[in-house]
Amino acid sequence: MNNISIPFEKLGNAKKVGIQLPDGLKRRAIEIAQLIEDRGYDVVISGETSFGACDIDLSILEVVDVLLHFAHTPILKDERVVYVPYFIEYNPKIDLKVDERRIALIATAQYVHKLPEVAEWLRGKGYEVEIGSPRGRVVYPGQVLGCNYSVLRGSNADAVVFIGDGLFHATGAAMYTKKKVYAYNPLSGELKEVDARNFEKKRYLEVSKCVGKSKAGILVSSKPGQRRLRLAEKLKKIGRENGLFCSIIYLNNVRAEELYNLPFDFYVNTACPRIAYDDGARFEKPVISPQEFELLLGLRESIAMDEIEF
Amino acid sequence: MNNISIPFEKLGNAKKVGIQLPDGLKRRAIEIAQLIEDRGYDVVISGETSFGACDIDLSILEVVDVLLHFAHTPILKDERVVYVPYFIEYNPKIDLKVDERRIALIATAQYVHKLPEVAEWLRGKGYEVEIGSPRGRVVYPGQVLGCNYSVLRGSNADAVVFIGDGLFHATGAAMYTKKKVYAYNPLSGELKEVDARNFEKKRYLEVSKCVGKSKAGILVSSKPGQRRLRLAEKLKKIGRENGLFCSIIYLNNVRAEELYNLPFDFYVNTACPRIAYDDGARFEKPVISPQEFELLLGLRESIAMDEIEF
């Protein structure tokens, strides 16, 4: 099967196997279930979201022996969760033409496996290339997550080149490093320079909508990899010290639907940072990051990228 | 506070208290949180859905000592879940004018507390009134749930009078009993006769959309009060014996969003029966009940109401 190889050797004595797929792979659920059933296992498909490595359907472990979690790298260690990588093939001889000579290479999980080859190719073209070491929840050299850009910490590069699709991670890298960042899509060959200033402008606008409001809901996700309860309690405390009514709202998926009927004026998101940054517009009320809440309260002078490190 | 009295005596030594509210009460979340905080407790608000008695946010028990679950009667027994009733006040001297003389009275949890008074009033008007005894997941005499009409089992009444709002439970009662059912809204004084035939027609139409389709997803909810895994496994087995590809899909909330990317032709719902009956139109693909699936496979001759008894 294209791009997917089931690690049957890791299933041990399991009889019932759960499979959890990100949206892009859900379309192939039957094909994948069939492949596993052909080996004699009983399969249960998780209907839960699977947006990232922290989004693991632990509740399915009540009805299966092992969960196969597809296309993300491990954050949580659970002996009954087996991670199945999904790598996208591409030509490492990328057609990069940028002025800077010292570049830091980053990529998302599906593209990260070829970074050493891309680096070798670029060095042949005269670039100085660095690939940052992983730490915390990051597994591969050069890998970035929606919530983590630590492979760029202390980078000496003049610019960052992101390999993958979309602009989100590239924008995150720009905010994180304050350097010039290029997003390179190896499938289309497209190169885009990202401008973190637009992103910053939007975030300041979002914070401005919360000025003068008095009731803040502080969102905590029950997803194990996102559960920043301590941070939320700290934010509740400083919010109250500053005269706001703050409550912690505990939920699994933070979606507009869950918040419709709650009477808060705005929300502070301690779950996946992408919820405020990517999905903010879906919510009726403003959704800001912990750092933006501090800015609102006058406890910080400028916006910083929210990150979950460990 | 109107209609709500917090059972502080049941909180024991709890320090952190979770509150879970159905949508109608979520608007009062701050007021309720404040009331509990005024007694010195720390409050965390559940952002999860709370559609019924089976919809209990057990995951919040990871971060609070006790969960106050509002406005439903207990199905699950968990020593750390405290149920807080929410009764709607209304005049038991209802203005009922129906031809039948022997009637069975039913109501939803918020209206059930006054059924004995309503019965007394109606007896004074010359009606013979019965209120069925509760069993299984039903707590009060005469109480119906979206998934359970067992208080009507063996009823000798000529007609059923439902006290509450909406037509769903009344329609369910009509399908369940095949008797004439009146829905009486005690707040507006409106009386409506429900016609289960329309409901049945719609359900046959839904089943007809599945004819000739080969891939069925069998939905199982992880909510403890809805988890009919054995039934789902039986349906998967008989589906396969009849040449369909069936997989079990395990998820917490069954919503259109979760199913968007899955490649099944239709779904068989073993979670809350209301999902197929009330929310069917929200889904891209047909969603049918276990009984309707049996009808589709030729294993049953007519539609029956899906019910969860215990």
Side-chain angles (χ1 to χ4, degrees):
Chain A
M1 186 166 32
N2 186 27
N3 302 323
I4 291 185
S5 154
I6 312 284
F8 287 108
E9 72 284 1
K10 291 189 183 163
L11 295 183
N13 295 319
K15 288 194 176 92
K16 279 178 178 279
V17 174
I19 60 177
Q20 189 182 11
L21 304 161
D23 281 349
L25 282 178
K26 275 202 174 123
R27 295 162 203 281
R28 293 171 66 183
I30 290 178
E31 174 194 354
I32 294 170
Q34 192 69 68
L35 199 75
I36 299 169
E37 291 195 358
D38 286 348
R39 295 282 198 109
Y41 299 98
D42 202 11
V43 172
V44 176
I45 298 169
S46 168
E48 295 299 326
T49 57
S50 184
F51 297 125
C54 53
D55 208 354
I56 294 171
D57 183 8
L58 297 177
S59 73
I60 205 171
L61 294 174
E62 293 166 15
V63 299
V64 298
D65 303 314
V66 168
L67 171 64
L68 292 176
H69 180 92
F70 285 76
H72 300 120
T73 51
I75 285 181
L76 295 172
K77 284 183 180 51
D78 185 310
E79 58 181 20
R80 291 168 64 205
V81 178
V82 173
Y83 294 83
V84 186
Y86 180 80
F87 294 124
I88 293 173
E89 289 309 311
Y90 61 96
N91 186 345
K93 298 173 180 174
I94 69 172
D95 184 28
L96 185 74
K97 289 188 184 99
V98 301
D99 292 337
E100 294 81 4
R101 301 320 290 166
R102 288 187 305 177
I103 59 174
L105 267 186
I106 59 173
T108 45
Q110 296 88 345
Y111 294 92
V112 78
H113 60 298
K114 283 192 180 268
L115 286 192
E117 288 176 66
V118 174
E120 201 186 309
W121 166 257
L122 291 177
R123 287 186 189 116
K125 295 288 172 190
Y127 293 100
E128 256 179 66
V129 183
E130 60 178 61
I131 299 177
S133 298
R135 72 184 98 192
R137 54 176 56 199
V138 173
V139 172
Y140 292 105
Q143 185 188 358
V144 289
L145 301 170
C147 59
N148 191 297
Y149 297 86
S150 59
V151 293
L152 290 170
R153 191 178 300 165
S155 163
N156 291 314
D158 306 318
V160 177
V161 172
F162 165 76
I163 309 279
D165 30 55
L167 292 179
F168 175 79
H169 293 88
T171 307
M175 284 202 62
Y176 185 84
T177 60
K178 316 281 182 202
K179 295 183 180 184
K180 190 175 276 193
V181 177
Y182 299 96
Y184 186 88
N185 183 322
L187 305 180
S188 67
E190 242 186 324
L191 182 78
K192 283 185 184 164
E193 188 182 328
V194 301
D195 184 353
R197 287 169 307 174
N198 263 338
F199 182 77
E200 284 203 359
K201 266 187 228 161
K202 277 187 203 161
R203 299 313 308 163
Y204 278 106
L205 183 63
E206 208 63 12
V207 174
S208 74
K209 292 179 193 164
C210 306
V211 173
K213 305 289 187 190
S214 63
K215 290 168 287 184
I218 299 167
L219 306 173
V220 178
S221 172
S222 57
K223 293 185 204 291
Q226 296 181 17
R227 193 168 54 200
R228 290 191 283 178
L229 189 62
R230 291 280 160 277
L231 170 62
E233 280 168 349
K234 185 191 113 188
L235 296 173
K236 177 177 165 179
K237 186 165 171 284
I238 61 174
R240 293 201 167 190
E241 285 165 1
N242 283 274
L244 300 187
F245 183 88
C246 302
S247 279
I248 290 176
I249 315 209
Y250 194 75
L251 70 179
N252 191 260
N253 277 308
V254 178
R255 288 187 281 213
E257 203 174 334
E258 271 78 16
L259 306 181
Y260 276 151
N261 294 298
L262 287 171
F264 295 90
D265 299 320
F266 67 93
Y267 295 93
V268 185
N269 169 52
T270 72
C272 173
R274 297 189 72 141
I275 291 164
Y277 298 150
D278 281 8
D279 299 339
R282 297 191 194 176
F283 293 86
E284 283 184 315
K285 309 281 178 64
V287 180
I288 61 176
S289 73
Q291 292 78 6
E292 290 159 4
F293 186 55
E294 291 176 354
L295 182 77
L296 178 72
L297 298 177
L299 304 173
R300 157 191 294 274
E301 301 211 332
S302 63
I303 274 180
M305 188 84 185
D306 185 23
E307 198 179 20
I308 306 183
E309 285 232 1
F310 293 99
Chain B
M1 186 167 32
N2 186 29
N3 302 324
I4 291 186
S5 154
I6 312 284
F8 287 109
E9 72 284 2
K10 292 188 183 162
L11 295 183
N13 296 318
K15 290 196 174 94
K16 280 178 178 279
V17 174
I19 60 177
Q20 190 183 12
L21 305 161
D23 281 349
L25 283 178
K26 274 202 175 125
R27 295 161 204 283
R28 292 170 67 183
I30 289 178
E31 175 194 354
I32 294 169
Q34 190 70 68
L35 198 75
I36 300 169
E37 290 196 358
D38 286 348
R39 295 283 198 110
Y41 299 97
D42 201 10
V43 172
V44 176
I45 299 169
S46 168
E48 294 299 326
T49 58
S50 182
F51 297 125
C54 53
D55 208 353
I56 295 172
D57 182 8
L58 296 177
S59 74
I60 204 172
L61 293 174
E62 292 166 17
V63 299
V64 298
D65 302 315
V66 168
L67 171 64
L68 293 176
H69 180 92
F70 285 76
H72 300 120
T73 51
I75 286 181
L76 294 173
K77 284 183 180 51
D78 185 311
E79 57 180 20
R80 291 168 64 204
V81 178
V82 173
Y83 293 84
V84 186
Y86 180 79
F87 294 124
I88 293 172
E89 288 310 312
Y90 62 95
N91 187 345
K93 298 172 181 174
I94 68 172
D95 184 27
L96 186 74
K97 288 186 186 100
V98 301
D99 292 335
E100 294 81 4
R101 300 324 287 168
R102 289 187 305 178
I103 59 175
L105 268 186
I106 58 171
T108 46
Q110 296 88 346
Y111 294 91
V112 79
H113 60 299
K114 283 192 180 268
L115 285 192
E117 289 176 67
V118 174
E120 202 186 310
W121 166 258
L122 291 178
R123 285 185 189 116
K125 296 289 172 190
Y127 292 100
E128 256 180 65
V129 184
E130 60 178 60
I131 298 177
S133 299
R135 73 185 95 193
R137 54 175 57 197
V138 173
V139 172
Y140 293 105
Q143 185 189 358
V144 289
L145 301 170
C147 59
N148 190 298
Y149 297 85
S150 58
V151 293
L152 291 169
R153 192 179 299 166
S155 163
N156 291 316
D158 306 318
V160 177
V161 173
F162 165 76
I163 310 278
D165 31 54
L167 293 178
F168 174 78
H169 293 87
T171 308
M175 284 203 64
Y176 185 84
T177 60
K178 315 282 180 201
K179 295 184 181 186
K180 191 176 273 190
V181 177
Y182 300 97
Y184 186 89
N185 183 322
L187 305 181
S188 68
E190 240 185 324
L191 182 78
K192 283 187 185 161
E193 188 182 330
V194 301
D195 184 353
R197 287 170 307 176
N198 263 338
F199 181 78
E200 285 202 358
K201 268 186 228 161
K202 276 187 204 162
R203 299 313 308 162
Y204 278 106
L205 183 64
E206 208 63 13
V207 174
S208 74
K209 292 178 193 164
C210 307
V211 173
K213 305 290 188 189
S214 63
K215 290 168 287 183
I218 298 166
L219 306 173
V220 177
S221 172
S222 57
K223 294 186 203 290
Q226 297 181 15
R227 193 168 52 199
R228 291 190 283 177
L229 189 61
R230 291 280 160 277
L231 170 62
E233 279 168 351
K234 184 193 114 189
L235 296 173
K236 176 176 164 179
K237 186 167 171 285
I238 61 175
R240 292 200 168 193
E241 284 165 3
N242 283 273
L244 300 187
F245 183 88
C246 302
S247 279
I248 291 176
I249 313 202
Y250 194 75
L251 71 180
N252 191 260
N253 278 309
V254 178
R255 288 188 281 213
E257 203 174 332
E258 271 79 16
L259 307 181
Y260 276 151
N261 293 298
L262 287 170
F264 296 89
D265 299 321
F266 67 94
Y267 295 93
V268 184
N269 170 51
T270 72
C272 173
R274 298 189 73 141
I275 292 163
Y277 298 151
D278 282 10
D279 299 338
R282 296 190 195 175
F283 293 86
E284 283 185 314
K285 309 281 179 63
V287 180
I288 62 175
S289 73
Q291 293 79 5
E292 290 159 5
F293 186 55
E294 291 176 356
L295 183 78
L296 177 74
L297 297 178
L299 304 173
R300 157 190 294 272
E301 299 211 332
S302 63
I303 274 181
M305 188 83 186
D306 185 23
E307 199 179 20
I308 306 183
E309 287 232 1
F310 294 100

